[in-house]
Amino acid sequence: MSDSITGADDLGRVSKALKDIGDGELRKRTLAGIRKQGKPTIADIRANALGSLPAGGGFAAIVAKTPIGVRTRLSPTTAGVTIRVTGKGDREGLDRRGRLRKPLFGNRGFWYTQNVRPGWFSEPAEENAPEFRRGIEQVLTDIKQEIERRV
């Protein structure tokens, strides 16, 4: 392995090394470290939802409370890190197209589309991406060095 971690290929190599040494605790520490690096991005996504989505009926607050998590794959062939929103509704369409389908004053017999500013999720995620990557690279570099000390 080289001295530093710079991308998904290196993430795959660290993943393979973790599997080869068979240390579950070190793997857990790696995953926890990566998730920790995503917390500032998740906080910014929540703040952006509160600031850019309709507050009427509590929609912005509901979206801001929706579970958002860092998903990691440490398989040597499919290594990667993503931030995902889970829950009900078309959050991707809301972010990408800026369209919100909702009932008129709670009347579920009449639904309409409200246009909102797109990018509530993607804008803060993209703005934070370089710092998030650097943090992940540092976590993986630290783990790589620990693996090399053991081998």
Side-chain angles (χ1 to χ4, degrees):
M1 279 191 254
S2 66
D3 289 340
S4 63
I5 305 296
T6 58
D9 290 340
D10 288 336
L11 177 59
R13 284 193 283 281
V14 169
S15 173
K16 183 175 180 340
L18 283 169
K19 185 176 180 182
D20 290 346
I21 65 170
D23 186 337
E25 272 309 304
L26 190 56
R27 185 177 193 283
K28 285 180 189 176
R29 277 195 10 234
T30 304
L31 295 172
I34 291 170
R35 283 191 302 272
K36 183 179 177 185
Q37 295 303 315
K39 287 185 180 193
T41 301
I42 291 170
D44 287 351
I45 290 169
R46 291 185 193 288
N48 199 39
L50 286 170
S52 64
L53 294 175
F59 183 74
I62 290 168
V63 172
K65 290 179 184 175
T66 299
I68 302 172
V70 176
R71 177 175 280 180
T72 55
R73 291 177 316 279
L74 285 184
S75 164
T77 57
T78 61
V81 178
T82 56
I83 296 180
R84 286 183 49 122
V85 176
T86 59
K88 295 180 181 177
D90 180 16
R91 306 288 191 246
E92 183 180 340
L94 179 64
D95 180 65
R96 194 169 12 103
R97 294 185 300 272
R99 294 201 175 128
L100 169 62
R101 293 266 310 144
K102 65 181 192 174
L104 180 63
F105 299 109
N107 177 0
R108 296 198 171 269
F110 183 78
W111 288 72
Y112 71 101
T113 300
Q114 178 179 351
N115 291 325
V116 298
R117 187 176 69 77
W120 70 271
F121 180 91
S122 58
E123 288 174 2
E126 288 170 10
E127 288 170 7
N128 285 310
E131 187 64 31
F132 188 28
R133 275 190 200 99
R134 280 191 295 275
I136 292 170
E137 289 168 1
Q138 185 59 55
V139 167
L140 295 175
T141 298
D142 294 346
I143 294 297
K144 179 187 124 325
Q145 289 170 353
E146 186 164 338
I147 291 170
E148 289 173 347
R149 280 193 299 269
R150 292 181 181 194
V151 176

